[in-house]
Amino acid sequence: MTAMTGSGWIDSYHKELYFSGSNVYFMDSDGSIFKFTLNNGTYICNETKDFTLKKTEGLFTIETKEQICYAFNAFGQLIETSEANGCSIKNSYDSLGRLKTVTSYSK
């Protein structure tokens, strides 16, 4: 596993998606991995009902039961975390896939 900050580094903020065929795997920051299977256009997770996964215009979003939304790019990198109260954090990455900037804002 390569963390957002580079090979060999671990952080408690790390979340990532992995792709295998039509399956999507969500790795949470505690190392838990959840498998989502595409079934009739909807992603289903049998391990938990705490997360919902959607794909829209090439971006993947996972929403928690607490209404926290995680957006991922086509490489599976976390690009935005947003809360129902309007607070958000945006991440950008360099050409090697390492975390470059973290920007927080509220609406």
Side-chain angles (χ1 to χ4, degrees):
M1 179 180 86
T2 301
M4 296 185 300
T5 50
S7 182
W9 289 87
I10 302 292
D11 61 83
S12 61
Y13 183 65
H14 185 83
K15 297 178 186 313
E16 192 168 2
L17 295 182
Y18 297 94
F19 309 98
S20 178
S22 62
N23 296 324
V24 178
Y25 296 86
F26 169 56
M27 179 183 282
D28 206 350
S29 57
D30 65 1
S32 300
I33 298 175
F34 302 95
K35 177 183 176 181
F36 290 85
T37 304
L38 188 60
N39 186 0
N40 295 324
T42 302
Y43 285 98
I44 306 294
C45 181
N46 292 322
E47 291 95 6
T48 184
K49 301 299 179 204
D50 292 345
F51 303 114
T52 57
L53 173 67
K54 295 181 182 176
K55 182 180 180 185
T56 308
E57 297 179 15
L59 294 179
F60 290 85
T61 57
I62 288 184
E63 187 169 337
T64 69
K65 64 182 181 179
E66 295 86 10
Q67 297 181 331
I68 298 172
C69 185
Y70 301 104
F72 299 87
N73 63 19
F75 300 109
Q77 297 168 313
L78 179 64
I79 57 172
E80 186 170 10
T81 303
S82 56
E83 298 177 349
N85 64 6
C87 294
S88 297
I89 297 172
K90 286 191 175 190
N91 300 329
S92 68
Y93 299 86
D94 66 15
S95 61
L96 298 176
R98 298 176 298 194
L99 185 63
K100 182 177 176 183
T101 61
V102 177
T103 306
S104 63
Y105 64 95
S106 62
K107 295 179 181 179

